[in-house]
Amino acid sequence: MALKTLGAKAAAALDKELMSTGAFSIDQLMELAGLSVSQVVYRVHPIHKGHRVLVACGPGNNGGDGLVAARHLRQYGYQPTVYYPRRSKNDLYQRLAKQLEDLDVPFVEDFPEALKSTDHIVDALFGFSFSGEVREPFPAVIKALEETNLPVTSVDAPSSWNIEDGPPKTGLGSSFHPEYLISLTAPKPLVKYFKGRHFVGGRFVAPSIAKKYDFDIPEYQGIDQIVEVSPADEKL
């Protein structure tokens, strides 16, 4: 079964629908998304491989998912560090940051420096709504992600990639290929350019909404919030 993808406009419309007819709050969706991200890290990088995780958070919802993931990782026993240079003044994001501070999760200012003392990276900078240029202070972060030998898990989209067209053809981000990707709710068209291990998370979508947006809900097992997608399912 080839997995159907959801373009940027459809993904935005689906988010709105989940929060209107679906009756979810943004807090709930972010919590479930971040929980899914944390489960991917636990799956691909168990604690015995190294407990230090650097979570890079952008200013939007993708960054919020990263903040939630960092909290869950801390509760699992990892030692997350958070890079969050453009903090949102939105109440939800401030509460998520406060929850991390209460758990003594450090926030760092220098991403390339923080890379020197971590074992795994979560890229939660930009999601499906990203377009245009990478603005400061993020170009140095994308460059560091391109150059690192550490494993990277990207949330919904490898940051700097175009949702439809994948990595930039040249320049910044063109050689950024994370090892792991978690698609939230449904895969985006860029997955056809992704060569690593791919997971889907989003165990909250009602069948009626999935039918309306013409995508399939994967078969989640047990208490898992994630499903690994085999390369055979990627024939999009």
Side-chain angles (χ1 to χ4, degrees):
M1 178 186 75
L3 274 184
K4 293 172 180 170
T5 63
L6 213 55
K9 284 183 180 172
L14 172 62
D15 265 11
K16 282 185 179 168
E17 178 122 9
L18 287 167
M19 288 186 278
S20 54
T21 57
F24 282 94
S25 69
I26 189 168
D27 302 49
Q28 281 181 293
L29 294 175
M30 203 167 280
E31 188 65 30
L32 289 162
L35 178 62
S36 302
V37 173
S38 71
Q39 287 197 355
V40 170
V41 175
Y42 187 81
R43 177 85 57 89
V44 302
H45 191 95
I47 251 174
H48 67 80
K49 284 190 173 181
H51 58 276
R52 302 170 303 173
V53 181
L54 176 58
V55 185
C57 297
N61 288 355
N62 206 251
D65 298 341
L67 295 174
V68 173
R71 169 162 38 80
H72 287 293
L73 290 168
R74 179 73 182 85
Q75 298 288 13
Y76 302 162
Y78 291 87
Q79 285 186 350
T81 297
V82 175
Y83 172 78
Y84 187 33
R86 285 176 54 193
R87 291 198 185 205
S88 171
K89 293 185 168 55
N90 178 297
D91 175 64
L92 169 57
Y93 298 94
Q94 292 196 334
R95 286 188 283 113
L96 294 175
K98 170 71 162 61
Q99 290 160 12
L100 290 170
E101 288 161 359
D102 287 349
L103 290 168
D104 296 322
V105 172
F107 285 75
V108 294
E109 301 292 329
D110 188 330
F111 184 81
E113 186 63 30
L115 276 184
K116 297 175 185 175
S117 54
T118 195
D119 304 301
H120 192 96
I121 304 157
V122 174
D123 158 32
L125 294 175
F126 310 124
F128 66 76
S129 58
F130 171 79
S131 63
E133 283 185 52
V134 177
R135 297 187 180 92
E136 294 296 340
F138 298 109
V141 181
I142 301 295
K143 191 167 189 298
L145 289 172
E146 286 187 286
E147 294 173 353
T148 185
N149 293 318
L150 293 166
V152 178
T153 295
S154 286
V155 178
D156 218 27
S159 291
S160 78
W161 284 31
N162 180 284
I163 294 308
E164 311 288 337
D165 305 324
K169 298 291 181 280
T170 58
L172 188 68
S174 58
S175 62
F176 175 39
H177 294 282
E179 283 77 2
Y180 313 106
L181 173 68
I182 173 167
S183 294
L184 297 172
T185 314
K188 312 307 180 289
L190 60 74
V191 295
K192 63 176 171 283
Y193 301 97
F194 176 71
K195 304 288 190 260
R197 287 175 67 184
H198 179 208
F199 296 82
V200 174
R203 197 175 184 175
F204 49 78
V205 179
S208 58
I209 289 182
K211 185 178 180 184
K212 178 176 178 178
Y213 286 84
D214 191 29
F215 68 91
D216 307 299
I217 299 174
E219 289 188 26
Y220 294 95
Q221 300 297 312
I223 61 173
D224 289 350
Q225 299 294 312
I226 56 170
V227 172
E228 183 161 6
V229 184
S230 75
D233 292 331
E234 298 286 14
K235 303 292 182 262
L236 303 167

